[in-house]
PDB file of all heavy atoms in Angstrom:
ATOM      1  N   CYS B 649      -0.070 -58.550  21.467  1.00 96.00           N
ATOM      2  CA  CYS B 649       1.029 -59.463  21.170  1.00 96.00           C
ATOM      3  C   CYS B 649       2.273 -58.961  21.899  1.00 96.00           C
ATOM      4  O   CYS B 649       2.594 -57.775  21.861  1.00 96.00           O
ATOM      5  CB  CYS B 649       1.276 -59.505  19.666  1.00 96.00           C
ATOM      6  SG  CYS B 649       2.785 -60.358  19.211  1.00 96.00           S
ATOM      7  N   SER B 650       2.983 -59.842  22.562  1.00 94.00           N
ATOM      8  CA  SER B 650       4.127 -59.414  23.365  1.00 94.00           C
ATOM      9  C   SER B 650       5.291 -58.944  22.492  1.00 94.00           C
ATOM     10  O   SER B 650       6.177 -58.240  22.949  1.00 94.00           O
ATOM     11  CB  SER B 650       4.588 -60.556  24.270  1.00 94.00           C
ATOM     12  OG  SER B 650       4.882 -61.689  23.467  1.00 94.00           O
ATOM     13  N   GLU B 651       5.253 -59.311  21.193  1.00 95.00           N
ATOM     14  CA  GLU B 651       6.346 -58.888  20.311  1.00 95.00           C
ATOM     15  C   GLU B 651       6.013 -57.593  19.561  1.00 95.00           C
ATOM     16  O   GLU B 651       6.821 -56.679  19.504  1.00 95.00           O
ATOM     17  CB  GLU B 651       6.675 -60.000  19.313  1.00 95.00           C
ATOM     18  CG  GLU B 651       7.368 -61.175  19.976  1.00 95.00           C
ATOM     19  CD  GLU B 651       7.742 -62.279  18.987  1.00 95.00           C
ATOM     20  OE1 GLU B 651       7.967 -61.959  17.800  1.00 95.00           O
ATOM     21  OE2 GLU B 651       7.810 -63.446  19.433  1.00 95.00           O
ATOM     22  N   CYS B 652       4.785 -57.539  18.997  1.00 96.00           N
ATOM     23  CA  CYS B 652       4.491 -56.415  18.100  1.00 96.00           C
ATOM     24  C   CYS B 652       3.367 -55.518  18.618  1.00 96.00           C
ATOM     25  O   CYS B 652       3.059 -54.503  18.006  1.00 96.00           O
ATOM     26  CB  CYS B 652       4.144 -56.921  16.708  1.00 96.00           C
ATOM     27  SG  CYS B 652       2.523 -57.674  16.623  1.00 96.00           S
ATOM     28  N   ASN B 653       2.716 -55.875  19.721  1.00 96.00           N
ATOM     29  CA  ASN B 653       1.625 -55.088  20.334  1.00 96.00           C
ATOM     30  C   ASN B 653       0.335 -55.083  19.525  1.00 96.00           C
ATOM     31  O   ASN B 653      -0.572 -54.321  19.828  1.00 96.00           O
ATOM     32  CB  ASN B 653       2.030 -53.627  20.589  1.00 96.00           C
ATOM     33  CG  ASN B 653       3.325 -53.509  21.335  1.00 96.00           C
ATOM     34  OD1 ASN B 653       3.564 -54.265  22.271  1.00 96.00           O
ATOM     35  ND2 ASN B 653       4.167 -52.588  20.910  1.00 96.00           N
ATOM     36  N   ASN B 654       0.261 -55.933  18.477  1.00 96.00           N
ATOM     37  CA  ASN B 654      -0.998 -56.010  17.734  1.00 96.00           C
ATOM     38  C   ASN B 654      -2.042 -56.715  18.599  1.00 96.00           C
ATOM     39  O   ASN B 654      -1.704 -57.461  19.509  1.00 96.00           O
ATOM     40  CB  ASN B 654      -0.774 -56.794  16.438  1.00 96.00           C
ATOM     41  CG  ASN B 654      -1.992 -56.735  15.529  1.00 96.00           C
ATOM     42  OD1 ASN B 654      -2.813 -55.817  15.640  1.00 96.00           O
ATOM     43  ND2 ASN B 654      -2.105 -57.703  14.647  1.00 96.00           N
ATOM     44  N   THR B 656      -4.469 -59.524  19.520  1.00 96.00           N
ATOM     45  CA  THR B 656      -4.396 -60.936  19.138  1.00 96.00           C
ATOM     46  C   THR B 656      -5.063 -61.815  20.179  1.00 96.00           C
ATOM     47  O   THR B 656      -5.224 -61.416  21.329  1.00 96.00           O
ATOM     48  CB  THR B 656      -2.917 -61.368  18.964  1.00 96.00           C
ATOM     49  OG1 THR B 656      -2.881 -62.725  18.569  1.00 96.00           O
ATOM     50  CG2 THR B 656      -2.146 -61.192  20.259  1.00 96.00           C
ATOM     51  N   ASP B 659      -0.588 -65.573  21.520  1.00 92.00           N
ATOM     52  CA  ASP B 659       0.652 -64.824  21.697  1.00 92.00           C
ATOM     53  C   ASP B 659       1.843 -65.746  21.464  1.00 92.00           C
ATOM     54  O   ASP B 659       1.950 -66.785  22.117  1.00 92.00           O
ATOM     55  CB  ASP B 659       0.700 -64.262  23.129  1.00 92.00           C
ATOM     56  CG  ASP B 659       1.824 -63.241  23.279  1.00 92.00           C
ATOM     57  OD1 ASP B 659       2.286 -62.738  22.240  1.00 92.00           O
ATOM     58  OD2 ASP B 659       2.219 -62.970  24.417  1.00 92.00           O
ATOM     59  N   PRO B 660       2.778 -65.433  20.557  1.00 94.00           N
ATOM     60  CA  PRO B 660       2.765 -64.271  19.649  1.00 94.00           C
ATOM     61  C   PRO B 660       1.647 -64.357  18.605  1.00 94.00           C
ATOM     62  O   PRO B 660       1.113 -65.421  18.370  1.00 94.00           O
ATOM     63  CB  PRO B 660       4.139 -64.331  18.990  1.00 94.00           C
ATOM     64  CG  PRO B 660       4.806 -65.563  19.443  1.00 94.00           C
ATOM     65  CD  PRO B 660       3.964 -66.265  20.410  1.00 94.00           C
ATOM     66  N   CYS B 661       1.358 -63.204  17.987  1.00 95.00           N
ATOM     67  CA  CYS B 661       0.228 -63.126  17.058  1.00 95.00           C
ATOM     68  C   CYS B 661       0.506 -63.893  15.762  1.00 95.00           C
ATOM     69  O   CYS B 661       1.609 -64.370  15.539  1.00 95.00           O
ATOM     70  CB  CYS B 661      -0.084 -61.671  16.748  1.00 95.00           C
ATOM     71  SG  CYS B 661       1.133 -60.882  15.677  1.00 95.00           S
ATOM     72  N   ARG B 662      -0.493 -63.993  14.904  1.00 95.00           N
ATOM     73  CA  ARG B 662      -0.373 -64.744  13.648  1.00 95.00           C
ATOM     74  C   ARG B 662       0.763 -64.211  12.775  1.00 95.00           C
ATOM     75  O   ARG B 662       1.436 -64.971  12.092  1.00 95.00           O
ATOM     76  CB  ARG B 662      -1.694 -64.673  12.863  1.00 95.00           C
ATOM     77  CG  ARG B 662      -2.805 -65.530  13.461  1.00 95.00           C
ATOM     78  CD  ARG B 662      -4.084 -65.389  12.667  1.00 95.00           C
ATOM     79  NE  ARG B 662      -4.627 -64.023  12.784  1.00 95.00           N
ATOM     80  CZ  ARG B 662      -4.839 -63.209  11.773  1.00 95.00           C
ATOM     81  NH1 ARG B 662      -4.582 -63.594  10.558  1.00 95.00           N
ATOM     82  NH2 ARG B 662      -5.313 -61.990  11.984  1.00 95.00           N
ATOM     83  N   PHE B 663       0.977 -62.909  12.791  1.00 96.00           N
ATOM     84  CA  PHE B 663       2.058 -62.351  11.964  1.00 96.00           C
ATOM     85  C   PHE B 663       3.414 -62.747  12.538  1.00 96.00           C
ATOM     86  O   PHE B 663       4.291 -63.221  11.840  1.00 96.00           O
ATOM     87  CB  PHE B 663       1.949 -60.824  11.891  1.00 96.00           C
ATOM     88  CG  PHE B 663       0.675 -60.343  11.269  1.00 96.00           C
ATOM     89  CD1 PHE B 663      -0.303 -59.716  12.030  1.00 96.00           C
ATOM     90  CD2 PHE B 663       0.443 -60.530   9.915  1.00 96.00           C
ATOM     91  CE1 PHE B 663      -1.488 -59.290  11.462  1.00 96.00           C
ATOM     92  CE2 PHE B 663      -0.738 -60.106   9.328  1.00 96.00           C
ATOM     93  CZ  PHE B 663      -1.712 -59.475  10.107  1.00 96.00           C
ATOM     94  N   CYS B 664       3.557 -62.530  13.853  1.00 96.00           N
ATOM     95  CA  CYS B 664       4.858 -62.750  14.475  1.00 96.00           C
ATOM     96  C   CYS B 664       5.269 -64.228  14.468  1.00 96.00           C
ATOM     97  O   CYS B 664       6.449 -64.546  14.511  1.00 96.00           O
ATOM     98  CB  CYS B 664       4.860 -62.216  15.910  1.00 96.00           C
ATOM     99  SG  CYS B 664       4.801 -60.418  15.957  1.00 96.00           S
ATOM    100  N   SER B 665       4.270 -65.144  14.439  1.00 95.00           N
ATOM    101  CA  SER B 665       4.628 -66.564  14.490  1.00 95.00           C
ATOM    102  C   SER B 665       4.610 -67.204  13.104  1.00 95.00           C
ATOM    103  O   SER B 665       4.913 -68.375  12.960  1.00 95.00           O
ATOM    104  CB  SER B 665       3.671 -67.307  15.428  1.00 95.00           C
ATOM    105  OG  SER B 665       2.345 -67.102  14.975  1.00 95.00           O
ATOM    106  N   TYR B 696       5.164 -56.369  11.764  1.00 97.00           N
ATOM    107  CA  TYR B 696       4.625 -55.059  12.170  1.00 97.00           C
ATOM    108  C   TYR B 696       5.060 -54.696  13.578  1.00 97.00           C
ATOM    109  O   TYR B 696       5.513 -55.548  14.351  1.00 97.00           O
ATOM    110  CB  TYR B 696       3.092 -55.077  12.140  1.00 97.00           C
ATOM    111  CG  TYR B 696       2.509 -55.185  10.754  1.00 97.00           C
ATOM    112  CD1 TYR B 696       2.040 -56.407  10.269  1.00 97.00           C
ATOM    113  CD2 TYR B 696       2.431 -54.065   9.939  1.00 97.00           C
ATOM    114  CE1 TYR B 696       1.511 -56.504   8.993  1.00 97.00           C
ATOM    115  CE2 TYR B 696       1.892 -54.155   8.674  1.00 97.00           C
ATOM    116  CZ  TYR B 696       1.439 -55.377   8.205  1.00 97.00           C
ATOM    117  OH  TYR B 696       0.909 -55.464   6.946  1.00 97.00           O
ATOM    118  N   ARG B 722      13.383 -56.007  19.828  1.00 93.00           N
ATOM    119  CA  ARG B 722      13.268 -56.885  18.665  1.00 93.00           C
ATOM    120  C   ARG B 722      14.408 -56.721  17.671  1.00 93.00           C
ATOM    121  O   ARG B 722      14.619 -57.571  16.812  1.00 93.00           O
ATOM    122  CB  ARG B 722      11.960 -56.579  17.911  1.00 93.00           C
ATOM    123  CG  ARG B 722      10.725 -56.964  18.657  1.00 93.00           C
ATOM    124  CD  ARG B 722       9.518 -56.437  17.946  1.00 93.00           C
ATOM    125  NE  ARG B 722       9.154 -57.254  16.781  1.00 93.00           N
ATOM    126  CZ  ARG B 722       8.202 -56.897  15.931  1.00 93.00           C
ATOM    127  NH1 ARG B 722       7.570 -55.760  16.079  1.00 93.00           N
ATOM    128  NH2 ARG B 722       7.899 -57.681  14.909  1.00 93.00           N
TER     129      ARG B 722
HETATM  130 ZN1   ZN C 297       2.828 -59.889  16.954  1.00 88.61          ZN
END
Side-chain angles (χ1 to χ4, degrees):
Chain B
C649 170
S650 56
E651 288 182 28
C652 73
N653 309 319
N654 188 23
T656 181
D659 192 19
C661 73
R662 287 179 294 121
F663 299 110
C664 290
S665 57
Y696 292 101
R722 291 171 78 187

